[in-house]
């Protein structure tokens, strides 16, 4: 079972920031937070991951609360092509633990 | 250059048949995976495999078997296909890495299997 909870759906206006929340209240000290997204009919795509510090890359920013029980993925300037299902996953950094995908959040970017 | 490729993209077949889906990765990764995404869109791990260890999700029927001719390939064989096997199957690969390495998985484009 997924260890995360996410809202089932969200809308965002094109050009605005999309903030996708994720709760992972049972996260352990060895577990990273990963974000993937799946654009319709394609394979999931890695976005970003982090342990406890905030992270930023060319795709997004990841904000993790100090207690690590929740996080937010930020797409700073959403475009129509960002419409997808976004999955928040916690995974032990010890190699061998598989990714467990929950239902994710369906983000619709509206023109 | 395609990182993880799967063939065929679509597969339509009759109940009771045996079929295979091929997966190849050119990333030099040493671990490969098969996932199943059903009509409710839940993505579930079926197998993970490197050259030393096969880990099977206990819910996967033994009609499903992964076969790896070499490190770059992990094919999925399905015997006696059933209606409930209809789904999209995704192959993925990752670099083996312990500690704090990224361990991201790269996914293929998926194979849509329809069993009639």
């Amino acid at each position: 079972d997924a260890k995360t909870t996410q809202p089932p759906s969200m809308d965002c206006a094109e050009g605005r920031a999309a903030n996708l929340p994720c709760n992972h209240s049972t996260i352990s000290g060895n577990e990273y937070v990963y974000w993937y997204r799946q654009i319709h009919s394609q394979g999931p795509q890695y976005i970003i991951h982090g342990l406890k510090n905030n992270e930023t890359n060319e795709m997004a920013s990841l904000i993790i609360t100090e207690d690590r029980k929740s996080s937010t993925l930020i797409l700073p300037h959403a475009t129509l092509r960002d419409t997808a299902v976004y999955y928040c996953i916690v995974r032990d950094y010890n190699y061998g633990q598989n990714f467990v995908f929950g239902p994710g959040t369906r983000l619709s970017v509206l023109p | 250059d395609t990182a993880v490729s799967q063939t065929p993209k679509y597969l339509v077949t009759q109940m009771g048949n045996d079929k295979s889906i091929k997966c190849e990765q050119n990333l030099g990764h040493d671990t490969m995976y098969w996932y199943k995404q059903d009509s409710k869109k839940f993505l579930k791990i079926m197998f993970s495999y490197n050259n030393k260890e096969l880990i099977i999700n206990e819910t996967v029927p033994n009609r499903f078997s992964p076969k790896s001719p070499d490190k770059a390939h992990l094919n999925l064989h399905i015997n006696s296909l059933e209606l409930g096997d209809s789904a999209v199957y995704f192959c993925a690969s990752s670099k083996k890495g312990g500690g704090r390495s990224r361990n991201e998985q790269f996914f293929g484009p998926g194979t849509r299997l329809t069993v009639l």
Side-chain angles (χ1 to χ4, degrees):
Chain A
D1 290 337
K3 298 181 181 180
T4 62
T5 55
Q6 300 175 251
S9 63
M10 291 182 64
D11 291 341
C12 175
E14 188 179 17
R16 306 297 289 267
N19 298 298
L20 292 93
C22 179
N23 287 324
H24 31 79
S25 58
T26 61
I27 193 170
S28 69
N30 293 338
E31 289 179 321
Y32 276 73
V33 180
Y34 284 77
W35 283 84
Y36 279 73
R37 73 180 182 184
Q38 187 173 23
I39 296 171
H40 179 63
S41 299
Q42 298 180 20
Q45 176 192 23
Y46 167 85
I47 301 173
I48 200 167
H49 80 295
L51 183 63
K52 53 186 175 182
N53 297 323
N54 297 338
E55 302 287 343
T56 296
N57 63 20
E58 66 279 3
M59 289 182 70
S61 295
L62 175 60
I63 308 297
I64 302 174
T65 58
E66 194 169 339
D67 63 8
R68 303 209 322 123
K69 293 186 177 182
S70 66
S71 60
T72 301
L73 178 75
I74 301 172
L75 308 179
H77 304 288
T79 70
L80 298 179
R81 286 179 291 184
D82 292 321
T83 293
V85 178
Y86 286 78
Y87 299 100
C88 170
I89 304 162
V90 296
R91 181 176 185 263
D92 196 307
Y93 67 64
N94 291 308
Y95 176 76
Q97 189 192 59
N98 292 315
F99 288 97
V100 178
F101 288 80
T105 295
R106 180 172 295 280
L107 175 69
S108 298
V109 180
L110 307 174
Chain B
D1 288 341
T2 304
V4 182
S5 60
Q6 296 179 227
T7 53
K9 188 169 174 63
Y10 299 96
L11 180 57
V12 181
T13 188
Q14 299 285 334
M15 240 179 5
N17 285 348
D18 302 337
K19 289 294 178 185
S20 296
I21 305 172
K22 295 185 178 180
C23 177
E24 177 180 4
Q25 54 93 5
N26 62 6
L27 298 166
H29 289 165
D30 44 28
T31 304
M32 297 182 72
Y33 311 81
W34 277 104
Y35 287 82
K36 177 182 180 181
Q37 188 167 39
D38 59 24
S39 57
K40 295 181 181 177
K41 302 297 185 184
F42 286 103
L43 196 62
K44 294 183 180 176
I45 184 80
M46 300 177 70
F47 305 99
S48 66
Y49 179 78
N50 63 30
N51 59 1
K52 295 179 183 176
E53 188 177 20
L54 171 66
I55 299 174
I56 303 171
N57 184 320
E58 60 190 12
T59 66
V60 175
N62 58 15
R63 298 180 295 102
F64 290 78
S65 58
K67 291 197 170 44
S68 180
D70 55 57
K71 268 179 63 172
H73 296 84
L74 184 67
N75 303 324
L76 182 64
H77 296 269
I78 316 169
N79 295 326
S80 302
L81 277 155
E82 300 178 358
L83 294 177
D85 298 333
S86 295
V88 181
Y89 292 84
F90 289 99
C91 177
S93 72
S94 70
K95 190 186 296 187
K96 179 177 180 178
R100 289 169 170 80
S101 58
R102 200 157 95 168
N103 286 349
E104 74 182 87
Q105 293 184 10
F106 291 80
F107 284 79
T111 296
R112 181 174 293 277
L113 171 66
T114 303
V115 182
L116 304 175

